[in-house]
Amino acid sequence: DATLLNHLYDLLDKAIAIDGAAFGYMHLFNRESDSLEIVVQRGFEASFLAIFKQVRVFDASVCARAFRLGHSLAIGDVSADPFLSQFLLLFERHGIYAVHSTPILDPDKVVIGMLSTHFPRHRHPTPEGMLSIAQVASQIAAKFLEYGLLQQSNSNDNNQRSIFSGW
């Protein structure tokens, strides 16, 4: 739906502005593939998106780790994070030095996706900034509710829900 996509781009732009980031994307959880899949993005080149368009939830990426944790994860210096060593050349090539990923939660606090912002400098978000980004993530979830795209998980694992059946 073009209207929903416009809302999602607006909310992504809002998150990038609030966080003072240069780039950002929104992943949605796809239970069938156990992955996070980009639905909207700003500022990334195709070579970067080829790597992160679909991220398995058990990967070492910041967004996958935040997904598993169920809360925000901010890496202020990607070169200092041992889990990101496989991505360092890619990050350097694209001028990414810090990453902040925040879960998109449904009303039951179940993860349905991730909102990630990327920075051209080392940066640690403030508690106020993290709260503001969490509020944007809540607004994203509200849009999915408004459009009737949230669905209950079919498994006993109620920590994640997929909205891909209606997307």
Side-chain angles (χ1 to χ4, degrees):
D1 181 288
T3 305
L4 175 59
L5 274 177
N6 287 336
H7 288 297
L8 296 179
Y9 274 111
D10 289 346
L11 289 165
L12 177 61
D13 291 341
K14 183 177 181 179
I16 290 169
I18 287 170
D19 229 4
F23 321 97
Y25 52 67
M26 187 183 310
H27 278 114
L28 294 181
F29 176 57
N30 183 336
R31 178 174 287 287
E32 290 180 18
S33 63
D34 246 354
S35 65
L36 297 164
E37 299 180 11
I38 291 179
V39 292
V40 295
Q41 66 89 20
R42 288 280 194 221
F44 294 102
E45 294 178 19
S47 59
F48 185 90
L49 293 174
I51 303 296
F52 290 98
K53 181 172 178 52
Q54 183 178 30
V55 174
R56 303 271 304 161
V57 297
F58 300 105
D59 286 351
S61 67
V62 178
C63 55
R65 288 160 45 202
F67 179 87
R68 290 191 308 272
L69 292 169
H71 61 76
S72 291
L73 180 60
I75 306 298
D77 178 356
V78 296
S79 67
D81 186 319
F83 296 107
L84 296 178
S85 61
Q86 65 186 333
F87 304 117
L88 287 183
L89 288 177
L90 181 70
F91 286 161
E92 184 177 299
R93 192 173 325 126
H94 293 277
I96 295 169
Y97 296 92
V99 179
H100 178 196
S101 290
T102 301
I104 301 168
L105 305 172
D106 75 1
D108 296 325
K109 306 294 183 217
V110 174
V111 180
I112 60 170
M114 297 300 301
L115 174 61
S116 297
T117 50
H118 298 68
F119 304 86
R121 64 196 178 288
H122 298 139
R123 181 186 182 285
H124 294 278
T126 64
E128 297 82 13
M130 291 183 80
L131 178 61
S132 294
I133 295 301
Q135 289 170 342
V136 174
S138 293
Q139 293 170 1
I140 293 166
K143 283 296 170 195
F144 289 120
L145 276 175
E146 178 183 329
Y147 281 79
L149 295 176
L150 289 177
Q151 101 181 20
Q152 183 72 33
S153 167
N154 289 330
S155 78
N156 292 331
D157 177 4
N158 214 17
N159 292 328
Q160 301 99 14
R161 290 196 182 129
S162 177
I163 63 172
F164 268 84
S165 66
W167 182 250

